Amino acid sequence: MGANNGKQYGSEGKGSSSISSDVSSSTDHTPTQAQKNVATSEDSDLSMRTLSTPSPALICPPNLPGFQNGRGSSTSSSSVTGETVAMVHSPPPTRLTHPLIRLASRPPKEQASIERLPDHAMVQIFSFLPTNQLCRCARVCRRWYNLAWDPRLWRTIRLTGETVNVDRALKVLTRRLCQDTPNVCLMLETVSVSGCRRLTDRGLYTIAQCCPELRRLEVSGCYNISNEAVFDVVSLCPNLEHLDVSGCSKVTCISLTREASIKLSPLHGKQISIRYLDMTDCFVLEDEGLHTIAAHCTQLTHLYLRRCVRLTDEGLRYLMIYCASIKELSVSDCRFVSDFGLREIAKLESRLRYLSIAHCGRVTDVGIRYVAKYCGKLRYLNARGCEGITDHGVEYLAKNCAKLKSLDIGKCPLVSDTGLECLALNCFNLKRLSLKSCESITGQGLQIVAANCFDLQMLNVQDCEVSVEALRFVKRHCKRCVIEHTNPAFF
C-alpha cells in the first residue's frame, strides 16, 4: 500500500518537500501547533490540486470503488490517479468549499423524459427521421448511437443537396451497415439520392457492391452517372424493381454487364426484374436503346419517356414486342411519335390504364381511335397540345372508355361543346378535366358536364371564353370541384 501511495503522490513531491521545510523552520512552535500548521498546509495543497482537475467526471469516476451513489468513502484505492487522489480520503464536510467537490456530493440529476422511453419506442420515433437527422442522433450518447444504427431503421437511405459529397457518404454508411454482415447490407432496400449532383459512378458502384437486396434506386438529376454504373447496379442487384434515372443525360440504355450476361443461365433469360422505369429527360435515348431496354426489362409495368426527343414510332414497336404488361406509359413531348405509334401502343389493350401523349403534334383522331377501340379500361389520358384531335376523336373516346377518370385535352382548338356533350353523357365517373386554351369551348358545354359529372373534382378552363354564370353553375352542381380559371369576376 505504501508503494502504491508513493506512485500516486509522486507528482506532488515538490509540495511535500516544501511542507517539510516549513515544519523544520518553525522551531518556536510546540509540536501540537506544528501538526496543526501541517494540516493547514495539506488542505491548501488539496485545494490547489482540485482546481487543476479537468472535469467533474475525473474527480468522481462512475466506476471508482471509493464512491457509491455520489458520496465519498473513507477507504483508499490504489487505482486512483494523481488527478483524483485528493478525493481518496473524504475530508470533513466543512472543508468542501470548491464547487467541483460539492458536485460530487450532490444526488444524481433526474433523467430527461425521453430517456425513460423503452428502446422499441425510441426506434419507432427514429423511424420518421431522414438519414442526415438519424446520423446526428447517433452522436448524442451511447444509447442513442446503438438505437440509431438499429438495422430496422436502415431499409432506406435518403440524401439530398447539391453540395453533399454523396460518394463518400454512401461509402461511410454502407461500411457501417456492413459490420454485422461483412461486405453486404442485407437490410438496405431503398437508396434515394435525387438531386445530388456530385454523385458519380463511384457512388453507384459502392451501392452495386454492397446492396444485393436493393429494390428501389432514385438518382434523378444526377447527370454525372453513365451507362456502365447503371449496368453494374442492375446486374449486381437482381431484386431491383424501381429505377428512376430521369435527368441523367448520359444514360442511353438499361442492360446487364457483359460479365453478368455470360454468367446467367439460359433459364434466367438474361432479363432484369425492373417494373418501374423513369427515363424522363434522357435526351440521348434512341430507338435502339429502347429496343435493348425492352429486351432486358420484359416485366415493365410503368415506363416514363417524357422528353426523350429522339424516340420514334419504331422504338414503340420494339417496346410492344417485349413488354406486354405495361399499365402506365408516357411519351409526352416525343415529337416524332405519330398515329402509327399509337397503333402499337393500342396492342396493350385492356392492360393500359394511363397514357400521356402531350404535345405529340403528329397525333390525330386516327391514333385516338386506335387507343379507344382496344384500351377500354383506360383511366387517364393526357393529350394536351395534340392539335389534330377534334370532337370526333373525343366522341369515340367517350363511348369506348366509359371509365375514364382524368382527361386533359387542353390546347386542342378543334374540340368544342359537341365533344364535351358526348363526354358528359358517357363518362359519369370523370373527376379531372382540363380544357385550358380550348378556344371553341363555351359555358353551355361546361353546364352539360356539370349536370352529369357530379364527382368532378378539378376543372381547368384557363384562357377559355366562359361566362361567370357558367362557372357558378358548375360550382353549384359539383360542390367539391376546384375550378382553375382566368375570369377575375368569378371568385
Side-chain angles (χ1 to χ4, degrees):
M1 187 66 180
N4 290 334
N5 287 339
K7 289 182 179 180
Q8 292 171 357
Y9 284 86
S11 62
E12 308 296 340
K14 185 179 291 186
S16 300
S17 61
S18 63
I19 292 174
S20 301
S21 61
D22 290 340
V23 171
S24 60
S25 62
S26 302
T27 55
D28 57 332
H29 294 289
T30 62
T32 303
Q33 186 65 30
Q35 291 175 358
K36 293 181 180 180
N37 290 338
V38 170
T40 304
S41 178
E42 288 177 351
D43 290 341
S44 176
D45 190 34
L46 168 64
S47 178
M48 291 177 64
R49 281 180 280 150
T50 305
L51 286 171
S52 65
T53 304
S55 70
L58 291 177
I59 295 177
C60 184
N63 58 350
L64 189 63
F67 292 90
Q68 296 178 357
N69 300 327
R71 296 182 181 179
S73 172
S74 59
T75 59
S76 63
S77 173
S78 60
S79 63
V80 182
T81 63
E83 289 179 317
T84 60
V85 68
M87 296 298 295
V88 174
H89 299 285
S90 178
T94 55
R95 301 288 183 118
L96 298 179
T97 58
H98 193 273
L100 293 179
I101 298 179
R102 287 180 181 175
L103 184 62
S105 62
R106 291 176 182 172
K109 291 184 178 180
E110 187 178 356
Q111 275 189 328
S113 299
I114 194 170
E115 290 298 329
R116 299 178 183 178
L117 295 176
D119 288 352
H120 67 86
M122 293 290 292
V123 171
Q124 183 67 23
I125 293 173
F126 285 167
S127 67
F128 295 98
L129 298 178
T131 301
N132 59 337
Q133 295 294 337
L134 196 57
C135 291
R136 290 178 180 177
C137 287
R139 300 170 63 183
V140 173
C141 63
R142 175 61 59 180
R143 183 192 177 213
W144 282 33
Y145 176 86
N146 293 329
L147 293 176
W149 287 107
D150 188 301
R152 292 171 293 179
L153 297 175
W154 291 95
R155 289 189 172 92
T156 299
I157 290 179
R158 195 175 302 275
L159 300 172
T160 57
E162 296 183 0
T163 59
V164 176
N165 188 345
V166 188
D167 292 346
R168 178 171 175 79
L170 289 173
K171 184 176 181 180
V172 171
L173 289 171
T174 52
R175 181 183 300 172
R176 176 59 182 81
L177 295 173
C178 289
Q179 284 188 355
D180 297 331
T181 52
N183 301 325
V184 289
C185 305
L186 296 179
M187 297 296 294
L188 190 59
E189 296 180 352
T190 301
V191 174
S192 176
V193 289
S194 296
C196 298
R197 298 187 176 182
R198 295 183 63 182
L199 178 70
T200 65
D201 290 351
R202 187 179 303 173
L204 282 189
Y205 184 73
T206 299
I207 295 173
Q209 291 291 321
C210 300
C211 308
E213 298 299 323
L214 191 69
R215 296 181 179 274
R216 184 184 185 104
L217 177 63
E218 299 175 359
V219 291
S220 173
C222 303
Y223 50 75
N224 289 320
I225 63 175
S226 65
N227 282 341
E228 289 71 20
V230 176
F231 291 178
D232 284 334
V233 172
V234 298
S235 300
L236 298 176
C237 303
N239 296 322
L240 188 66
E241 296 180 346
H242 182 114
L243 179 61
D244 184 355
V245 291
S246 57
C248 301
S249 54
K250 295 182 181 179
V251 177
T252 62
C253 186
I254 305 294
S255 178
L256 296 170
T257 60
R258 180 174 299 179
E259 294 79 6
S261 298
I262 295 173
K263 292 179 181 178
L264 289 176
S265 64
L267 294 177
H268 189 281
K270 298 182 180 181
Q271 296 176 1
I272 301 171
S273 59
I274 294 176
R275 298 178 182 274
Y276 179 106
L277 178 61
D278 191 345
M279 297 192 69
T280 298
D281 294 322
C282 292
F283 306 114
V284 292
L285 176 65
E286 298 181 347
D287 290 339
E288 192 59 35
L290 186 58
H291 185 187
T292 304
I293 292 171
H296 286 84
C297 305
T298 57
Q299 301 180 45
L300 277 174
T301 58
H302 297 69
L303 179 61
Y304 304 95
L305 303 171
R306 306 179 188 95
R307 292 180 290 280
C308 294
V309 294
R310 299 187 182 184
L311 292 181
T312 68
D313 297 332
E314 185 69 11
L316 294 179
R317 187 178 71 83
Y318 292 140
L319 186 64
M320 297 308 124
I321 292 174
Y322 298 99
C323 303
S325 301
I326 293 179
K327 297 179 180 179
E328 295 192 8
L329 176 64
S330 175
V331 289
S332 297
D333 295 281
C334 297
R335 59 178 180 269
F336 294 120
V337 172
S338 67
D339 293 333
F340 293 103
L342 290 193
R343 184 180 64 180
E344 296 298 326
I345 293 174
K347 294 178 181 179
L348 293 173
E349 298 181 344
S350 59
R351 292 178 292 274
L352 187 66
R353 303 299 176 89
Y354 172 108
L355 178 62
S356 179
I357 53 174
H359 304 290
C360 293
R362 301 187 180 189
V363 171
T364 66
D365 288 341
V366 176
I368 295 297
R369 287 174 67 93
Y370 277 121
V371 173
K373 182 177 180 180
Y374 295 101
C375 305
K377 293 186 178 181
L378 193 67
R379 300 290 187 273
Y380 175 100
L381 177 63
N382 183 357
R384 174 177 292 192
C386 298
E387 298 182 355
I389 297 177
T390 68
D391 289 334
H392 297 292
V394 174
E395 179 182 357
Y396 205 87
L397 180 69
K399 290 181 178 180
N400 290 274
C401 300
K403 295 183 179 180
L404 200 65
K405 292 185 177 181
S406 179
L407 178 63
D408 189 341
I409 47 176
K411 298 183 179 180
C412 294
L414 301 180
V415 175
S416 67
D417 293 343
T418 304
L420 285 188
E421 182 177 356
C422 293
L423 190 67
L425 296 177
N426 291 277
C427 300
F428 304 109
N429 297 321
L430 198 65
K431 296 182 182 299
R432 301 174 65 88
L433 177 62
S434 178
L435 304 169
K436 182 178 180 180
S437 301
C438 288
E439 303 169 356
S440 303
I441 297 295
T442 67
Q444 182 180 355
L446 290 186
Q447 290 179 2
I448 297 174
V449 170
N452 292 273
C453 302
F454 301 108
D455 293 333
L456 197 65
Q457 297 177 3
M458 195 283 294
L459 176 65
N460 188 341
V461 288
Q462 293 177 337
D463 302 318
C464 295
E465 296 296 330
V466 180
S467 64
V468 175
E469 290 74 18
L471 295 177
R472 289 174 179 168
F473 184 91
V474 173
K475 197 63 180 175
R476 282 197 306 270
H477 286 75
C478 305
K479 299 186 182 301
R480 293 187 299 171
C481 183
V482 176
I483 303 176
E484 299 180 11
H485 61 93
T486 52
N487 192 330
F490 178 74
F491 53 90

